[in-house]
């Protein structure tokens, strides 16, 4: 019979991380993404240049970084821009974007759905409908399959 | 009009034609392989191959040597030979500890490659001294299940698509059966298992299917992020990708040196063109819905639908494509990858459909297969 030596630290070791069969994600590199320029976006919003603010907010999406704060900040900024649009202008905004930016916008829309606030979901649904009309089911599938998320 | 053949309600996991297309081998989503023979306009089930203990995941029929290779979830592969009108199986020890997912004969039919969930490819060849099939493994640097395999026309190079989001080209050179291969655009050094090229599928998404073009210089793959990608061996930096608005594709096949047919969860085959400037463009869906015959319902029909469905709504729940569910496999029916005139699709709706480019070109305005 073995005596318990009183050492219990081994019980806290996560053995799964040492399993050689585990898929190690290659995208572990911590990118230096800074996210969209907040000042620029805010000033464009103040000048009522909504479409330009949208484009600025969707540039440099912080997809490669693992810094959650940067991601949250970017998501908040994009949400602010999306909610600033009038429902009738949403379609114009969607038409001004190219297909890669459209995919990024769809990612932010789903990110916005995750944390609903007062009235945000309704406006986001309007955005979703218009982006879906242009991007199709493929844009939604890409939100789900892309390893780099916003 | 595409020829539609229905083989019951079970999904068809995989299918393969014999050389003259008079016989079709399919697996109806179970442990068996059914071989159907053309008889007038009908299909007669002529043979049932039941040796696998679990689902059959891949079938390939070698046209010249008339041998069938099947692989399954039971981690085995069998090579079937027709002796006295009966198909006799020979077990192939793949030495894998997970399910086999796909299998392909090489162009010269002296080897075949099996992809598996064990994160490796087994290249098998026949050893005459011991009268059995031997397997060699390609392991590095594959990190997840292999979903699809395609051989290069030089009988040595092998492309595979995997769920680690990569499409790769390996050398499957077996010195016991192959002559030393000449250098190709993919590289010179072709020792067994040498990684010739590796391509990442954009932002993510499993690579469901890979296909070498007829010359072997172009590699196409489809990913689960609803994308289609093509790379030319002479210009490997540039991967031409189209991110579609459709649901993801599960299968792709070159039909000429510049044209690619893909099909998948949208239940409809689609045509893409890859031209000499390495640009990939979507051309057209190849399944054009015929106009539903409109017209008012008869009173009898109205009461019948009211009785059955509590509504007089005329809309049916059928899809307006030929396939009623996902297409899982595409194969050449008539022609070669260089100049294909008919191709076949099979899917989870239990149907095998033969598409004819001549009738497609005439029914779809402006469609020209490059």
């Amino acid at each position: 019979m073995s005596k318990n030596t009183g050492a219990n630290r081994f019980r806290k070791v996560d053995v799964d991380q040492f399993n050689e069969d585990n898929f190690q994600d290659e995208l572990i590199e911590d990118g230096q993404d800074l996210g969209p320029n907040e000042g620029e976006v805010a000033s464009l919003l103040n000048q009522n240049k909504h479409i330009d603010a949208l484009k600025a907010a969707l540039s440099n999406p912080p997809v490669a970084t693992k810094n959650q704060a940067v991601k949250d900040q970017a998501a908040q900024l994009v949400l602010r821009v999306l909610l600033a649009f009038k429902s009738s202008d949403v379609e114009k905004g969607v038409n001004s974007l190219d297909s890669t930016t459209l995919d990024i916008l769809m990612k932010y829309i789903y990110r916005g759905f995750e944390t609903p606030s007062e009235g945000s979901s309704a406006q986001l649904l309007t955005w979703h409908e218009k982006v879906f009309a242009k991007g199709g089911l493929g844009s939604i599938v890409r939100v789900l399959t892309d390893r780099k998320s916003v | 009009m595409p020829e539609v053949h229905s083989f019951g309600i079970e999904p068809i996991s995989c299918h393969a034609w014999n050389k003259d297309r008079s016989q079709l081998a399919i697996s109806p989503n179970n442990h068996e392989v059914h071989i159907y023979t053309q008889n007038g306009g009908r299909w007669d089930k002529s043979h049932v191959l039941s040796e696998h203990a679990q689902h059959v995941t891949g079938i390939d029929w070698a046209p010249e040597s008339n041998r069938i290779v099947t692989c399954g979830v039971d981690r085995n592969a069998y090579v079937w030979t027709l002796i006295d009108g009966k198909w006799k199986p020979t077990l192939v020890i793949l030495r894998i500890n997970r399910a086999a997912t796909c299998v392909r004969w090489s162009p010269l039919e002296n080897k075949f490659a099996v992809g598996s969930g064990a994160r490796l490819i087994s290249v098998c060849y026949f050893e005459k001294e011991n009268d059995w099939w031997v397997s060699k493994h390609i392991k590095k640097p594959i990190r997840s299940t292999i979903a699809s395999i395609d051989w290069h026309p030089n009988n040595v190079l092998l492309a595979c698509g995997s769920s680690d989001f990569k499409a790769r080209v390996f050398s499957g050179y077996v010195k016991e059966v192959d002559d030393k291969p000449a250098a190709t655009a993919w590289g010179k050094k072709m020792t067994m298992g040498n990684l010739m090229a590796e391509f990442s599928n954009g932002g993510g998404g499993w690579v469901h299917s890979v296909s070498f073009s007829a010359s072997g210089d172009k590699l196409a793959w489809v990913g689960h992020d609803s994308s289609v990608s093509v790379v030319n061996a002479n210009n490997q930096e540039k991967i031409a990708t189209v991110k579609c608005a459709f649901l993801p594709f599960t299968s792709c096949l070159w039909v000429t040196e510049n044209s690619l047919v893909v099909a998948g969860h949208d239940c409809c085959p689609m045509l893409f063109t890859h031209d000499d400037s390495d640009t990939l463009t979507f051309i057209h869906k190849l399944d054009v819905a015929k106009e539903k015959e409109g017209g008012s319902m008869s009173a009898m029909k109205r009461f019948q639908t009211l009785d059955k469905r509590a509504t007089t709504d005329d809309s049916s729940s059928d899809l307006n494509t030929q396939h009623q569910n996902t297409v899982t496999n595409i194969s050449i029916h008539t022609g070669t990858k260089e100049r294909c005139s008919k191709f076949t699709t099979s899917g989870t709706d239990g149907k095998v459909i033969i598409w004819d480019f001549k009738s497609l070109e005439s029914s779809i305005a402006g469609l020209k297969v490059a």
Side-chain angles (χ1 to χ4, degrees):
Chain A
M1 295 290 280
S2 63
K3 240 179 4 189
N4 185 357
T5 59
N8 286 329
R9 263 190 337 199
F10 69 91
R11 296 188 190 280
K12 299 201 175 90
V13 171
D14 174 20
V15 287
D16 284 332
Q17 71 186 126
F18 298 115
N19 184 0
E20 280 159 9
D21 274 345
N22 277 350
F23 179 74
Q24 253 92 43
D25 208 345
E26 273 171 9
L27 313 166
I28 309 178
E29 312 104 38
D30 210 349
Q32 286 310 309
D33 275 347
L34 300 160
N37 188 334
E38 203 167 337
E40 194 190 326
V41 176
S43 74
L44 285 168
L45 274 180
N46 286 337
Q47 296 164 34
N48 272 336
K49 291 207 186 118
H50 292 306
I51 298 201
D52 295 325
L54 181 65
K55 289 204 182 126
L58 292 176
S59 64
N60 291 334
V63 285
T65 180
K66 301 235 299 222
N67 185 341
Q68 194 54 36
V70 174
K71 291 193 181 210
D72 289 340
Q73 214 179 20
Q76 289 290 16
L77 189 60
V78 174
L79 194 58
R80 226 176 99 192
V81 176
L82 295 182
L83 293 175
F85 270 72
K86 282 204 292 291
S87 304
S88 44
D89 290 336
V90 169
E91 195 163 347
K92 269 210 304 274
V94 167
N95 285 334
S96 71
L97 302 172
D98 65 3
S99 59
T100 353
T101 327
L102 213 58
D103 284 343
I104 297 172
L105 174 57
M106 193 53 118
K107 282 190 202 168
Y108 276 115
I109 293 176
Y110 276 95
R111 178 77 200 270
F113 281 136
E114 284 171 30
T115 43
S117 65
E118 194 59 51
S120 72
S121 291
Q123 180 71 325
L124 280 176
L125 276 173
T126 318
W127 275 99
H128 186 279
E129 187 197 339
K130 300 287 184 245
V131 177
F132 172 65
K134 201 156 176 236
L137 290 160
S139 61
I140 299 180
V141 173
R142 276 186 282 281
V143 173
L144 299 170
T145 57
D146 205 338
R147 321 248 31 232
K148 309 184 201 113
S149 57
V150 282
Chain B
M1 270 309 294
E3 277 176 55
V4 180
H5 303 281
S6 180
F7 292 94
I9 52 169
E10 287 300 325
I12 295 179
S13 322
C14 38
H15 75 268
W17 291 99
N18 71 342
K19 180 170 181 184
D20 58 12
R21 308 319 192 214
S22 60
Q23 291 187 308
L24 177 64
I26 63 166
S27 177
N29 201 32
N30 62 11
H31 312 348
E32 298 174 337
V33 174
H34 296 178
I35 298 189
Y36 287 85
T37 312
Q38 273 270 27
N39 183 358
R42 290 188 353 241
W43 288 98
D44 288 337
K45 194 191 294 191
S46 49
H47 301 92
V48 172
L49 277 44
S50 54
E51 195 76 17
H52 279 285
Q54 284 176 284
H55 278 214
V56 174
T57 49
I59 309 178
D60 201 17
W61 200 322
E64 303 305 324
S65 53
N66 203 35
R67 289 176 297 184
I68 299 178
V69 62
T70 59
C71 71
V73 174
D74 57 358
R75 299 167 274 125
N76 288 334
Y78 290 94
V79 175
W80 303 80
T81 335
L82 189 61
I83 300 175
D84 294 331
K86 290 185 94 68
W87 288 96
K88 294 275 188 286
T90 312
L91 174 66
V92 178
I93 314 264
L94 299 171
R95 298 182 288 127
I96 55 181
N97 58 6
R98 292 289 185 280
T101 53
C102 50
V103 64
R104 281 269 181 272
W105 281 108
S106 70
L108 292 179
E109 298 167 23
N110 51 4
K111 326 179 263 197
F112 60 87
V114 182
S116 66
R119 297 132 48 112
L120 53 84
I121 304 176
S122 287
V123 180
C124 306
Y125 63 97
F126 193 68
E127 200 175 73
K128 284 215 193 48
E129 303 86 63
N130 294 333
D131 191 28
W132 69 346
W133 291 85
V134 176
S135 65
K136 290 206 170 167
H137 286 172
I138 301 179
K139 222 175 140 72
K140 296 216 162 35
I142 302 171
R143 308 205 354 269
S144 189
T145 305
I146 303 283
S148 158
I149 283 195
D150 195 30
W151 285 92
H152 187 283
N154 75 353
N155 206 56
V156 171
L157 297 178
L158 196 51
C160 67
S162 167
S163 54
D164 61 1
F165 325 115
K166 302 257 190 286
R168 298 185 174 90
V169 179
F170 283 104
S171 162
Y173 173 67
V174 172
K175 63 180 190 299
E176 285 85 346
V177 296
D178 287 323
D179 302 322
K180 226 164 182 316
T184 64
W186 295 101
K188 278 200 326 238
K189 178 157 181 269
M190 284 185 258
T191 48
M192 173 63 172
N194 187 29
L195 177 70
M196 311 296 287
E198 180 178 274
F199 305 103
S200 183
N201 185 47
W206 290 358
V207 177
H208 286 302
S209 178
V210 289
S211 182
F212 269 120
S213 65
S215 65
D217 282 344
K218 297 193 200 180
L219 180 67
W221 67 88
V222 285
H224 200 75
D225 59 343
S226 300
S227 68
V228 182
S229 310
V230 177
V231 70
N232 193 322
N234 302 306
N235 188 6
Q236 287 179 35
E237 306 300 311
K238 172 148 192 244
I239 306 177
T241 308
V242 173
K243 297 209 173 183
C244 314
F246 306 116
L247 285 176
F249 301 114
T250 55
S251 186
C252 63
L253 183 69
W254 288 98
V255 289
T256 66
E257 188 62 25
N258 287 340
S259 296
L260 187 64
V261 170
V262 299
H265 293 284
D266 268 324
C267 320
C268 171
M270 313 209 189
L271 185 66
F272 282 77
T273 310
H274 180 257
D275 60 22
D276 296 320
S277 63
D278 287 332
T279 332
L280 186 61
T281 0
F282 169 65
I283 303 293
H284 209 280
K285 286 193 183 182
L286 293 177
D287 190 345
V288 181
K290 15 175 227 304
E291 300 303 310
K292 283 226 156 67
E293 292 96 43
S296 47
M297 269 213 266
S298 68
M300 177 64 159
K301 186 102 194 290
R302 225 177 253 281
F303 281 117
Q304 272 182 339
T305 45
L306 199 56
D307 184 33
K308 263 198 276 197
R309 292 194 237 150
T311 170
T312 48
D313 202 347
D314 197 11
S315 58
S316 83
S317 56
D318 285 345
L319 293 180
N320 58 3
T321 47
Q322 295 285 344
H323 272 292
Q324 293 299 304
N325 209 324
T326 312
V327 173
T328 49
N329 285 93
I330 312 182
S331 67
I332 304 245
H333 180 274
T334 315
T336 60
K337 272 183 182 173
E338 174 105 45
R339 187 34 76 186
C340 169
S341 57
K342 289 190 190 181
F343 65 92
T344 315
T345 54
S346 72
T348 37
D349 56 354
K351 293 198 184 142
V352 171
I353 301 185
I354 306 175
W355 307 81
D356 184 350
F357 274 118
K358 262 212 307 281
S359 65
L360 285 172
E361 278 177 355
S362 56
S363 60
I364 300 175
L367 180 74
K368 247 313 131 201
V369 179

